[in-house]
Amino acid sequence: MGVLKRYGEYLPVTKKTPAVNLEEGSTPLVLLDRIGSSLGIELWGKLEGCNPTGSFKDRGMVLAVAKAMEDGASAFVCASTGNTSASAAAYAAHVGAPCYVLLPSGKVAMGKLAQALIYGARVIAVDGNFDRTLEMAREASAKCGFAIVNSVNPYRLISQRTGAWEICESLGDAPDLHAIPVGNAGNISAYWAGYKEFRERGRSKKLPRMMGFQAEGAAPLVTGMACPVPETVATAIRIGNPVSAHLAREAVRESGGEFNSVTDAEILEAQKILAARGGIFAEPASCAPLAGLIKLKKSGLLPEGSRVVMVLTGNGLKDPDTALSQVEKPVAIGGTIEDLMEALRQ
Ligand code: AN7
């Protein structure tokens, strides 16, 4: 069941809203007990990479596209570090509208680029970082009348709250800590709004502490200053001036949480741990929370025994290049059984 159907009563869906549906949402929440026990916590991973385009963006995109169609939109535009463009392109294709996507040239993972292109979007590679492409997309939206489906579109964050509701329904309540990567800062804000709303409706009792993790080279919410030249291996969160910074700061302050940063090396190490000890392949940005939890554990700041949910925002298959650069090559052998026996002995 897609999110408009599953949570229609909590979303601004009317009789006139087209029932757009790629069966997004309802993603698995997986107990990662081997990793959790080494950190002294009960650790859960929300597998947002299981969404139809392989990232959490589909939760918000479905409502943004449905409402734009309801309002008579004829084309879509977005700027993206990759996942938003894949999602926008897919939903635009599904409803039969053109989609223009602006990407920072050379800084988008291969799988995401392939997605936007195969879904039939018009892909434009801009000589500039994400923050600049977003400014340009907003201007194009105003000039050409395209519906903008970045998180400046309020329906995106409204519908991304569904992730928090699913977690509360799966666990019976909110967790103690909610760990999440932060780029443009929309998702952390949406989750916080979702947790609060579910509690107000009497559907949950607790509120989690919101722990937002950024890459050290693109950590404006940690340093308190916009970062003019963001740089990180986690290209999804290579963002220097987050649009929803004010909402994210509020979420962290109200919940008693924190922002923290992790290095690229810590992110890549966490990616390997998640895969090799959890059986889950998530893209680098999605591994920032695990890197952050490991960092907190090392400094004695991770509360023992707490229930922690981390949002694994995107599928690892989107960025195979980065993963391959971190592992050994396959063992190459000839075609005899002796060759195989020799290889198995090593
Ligand atoms: C895998 O696609 O900004 O803090 O243009 O793809 O809500 O921005 C992606 C962001 C985390 C950060 N994990 O979420 C885009 C884009 C993954 C992401 C984030 C992104 P926000």
Side-chain angles (χ1 to χ4, degrees), residues 133-156:
T133 62
L134 181 55
E135 288 167 5
M136 291 168 75
R138 293 175 89 154
E139 237 175 284
S141 163
K143 278 203 164 85
C144 309
F146 304 150
I148 188 160
V149 289
N150 281 101
S151 54
V152 294
N153 178 322
Y155 293 117
R156 281 273 314 277

Side-chain angles (χ1 to χ4, degrees), residues 68 71 89 91 105 164 174 212 224 251 305:
D71 294 342
Y91 282 86
S105 180

Side-chain angles (χ1 to χ4, degrees), residues 56-57 80-84 181-187 236-237 239 283 313:
F56 72 96
K57 301 288 180 180
S80 181
T81 58
N83 280 324
T84 295
V182 176
N184 218 13
N187 211 24
I237 52 173
I239 295 174
E283 68 168 280
T313 47

Side-chain angles (χ1 to χ4, degrees), residues 54-57 78-87 102-104 112 130 133 150-151 156-157 160 180-190 213-214 221 235-239 242-244 248 283-287 311-315 318:
S55 87
F56 72 96
K57 301 288 180 180
C78 70
S80 181
T81 58
N83 280 324
T84 295
S85 67
S87 186
L102 279 62
L103 305 175
K112 304 174 189 180
F130 168 80
T133 62
N150 281 101
S151 54
R156 281 273 314 277
L157 298 195
Q160 280 175 219
I180 187 165
V182 176
N184 218 13
N187 211 24
I188 188 173
S189 310
F213 295 101
Q214 299 204 287
L221 287 160
T235 51
I237 52 173
R238 185 176 170 274
I239 295 174
V243 156
S244 299
E283 68 168 280
S286 307
C287 301
V311 188
L312 303 171
T313 47
N315 197 303
K318 284 172 174 277

Side-chain angles (χ1 to χ4, degrees), residues 181 262 266-268 270-271 274 282-292 312:
V262 287
E266 287 167 333
I267 288 172
L268 294 172
Q271 186 183 38
L274 185 63
E283 68 168 280
S286 307
C287 301
L290 179 57
L312 303 171

Side-chain angles (χ1 to χ4, degrees), residues 20-254:
V20 181
N21 181 18
L22 281 176
E23 299 293 335
E24 62 290 316
S26 302
T27 55
L29 184 66
V30 178
L31 182 63
L32 295 162
D33 45 4
R34 290 184 68 213
I35 302 174
S37 63
S38 67
L39 293 172
I41 57 175
E42 182 190 305
L43 182 63
W44 298 81
K46 180 76 167 152
L47 266 59
E48 291 293 278
C50 293
N51 275 297
T53 77
S55 87
F56 72 96
K57 301 288 180 180
D58 297 340
R59 289 183 184 280
M61 198 59 69
V62 65
L63 184 65
V65 165
K67 294 304 276 187
M69 294 307 282
E70 182 179 340
D71 294 342
S74 57
F76 295 94
V77 66
C78 70
S80 181
T81 58
N83 280 324
T84 295
S85 67
S87 186
Y91 282 86
H94 194 67
V95 301
C99 182
Y100 301 92
V101 309
L102 279 62
L103 305 175
S105 180
K107 295 292 181 179
V108 171
M110 187 180 65
K112 304 174 189 180
L113 185 60
Q115 286 181 289
L117 291 165
I118 200 77
Y119 291 131
R122 179 78 183 275
V123 177
I124 299 159
V126 177
D127 181 15
N129 62 28
F130 168 80
D131 305 281
R132 177 64 191 139
T133 62
L134 181 55
E135 288 167 5
M136 291 168 75
R138 293 175 89 154
E139 237 175 284
S141 163
K143 278 203 164 85
C144 309
F146 304 150
I148 188 160
V149 289
N150 281 101
S151 54
V152 294
N153 178 322
Y155 293 117
R156 281 273 314 277
L157 298 195
I158 287 175
S159 193
Q160 280 175 219
R161 292 175 305 168
T162 56
W165 300 341
E166 287 177 18
I167 290 170
C168 292
E169 289 187 342
S170 295
L171 298 177
D173 205 344
D176 301 315
L177 299 184
H178 178 94
I180 187 165
V182 176
N184 218 13
N187 211 24
I188 188 173
S189 310
Y191 267 94
W192 179 239
Y195 283 122
K196 284 198 299 187
E197 175 158 357
F198 232 43
R199 196 177 69 151
E200 277 159 26
R201 288 180 183 275
R203 300 284 313 268
S204 56
K205 294 196 184 64
K206 289 196 289 194
L207 289 174
R209 282 167 58 202
M210 302 299 287
M211 315 291 284
F213 295 101
Q214 299 204 287
E216 199 175 77
L221 287 160
V222 180
T223 62
M225 280 176 301
C227 169
V229 191
E231 205 47 81
T232 168
V233 69
T235 51
I237 52 173
R238 185 176 170 274
I239 295 174
N241 193 13
V243 156
S244 299
H246 56 294
L247 293 176
R249 279 200 197 92
E250 214 171 274
V252 161
R253 188 176 42 76
E254 283 179 11

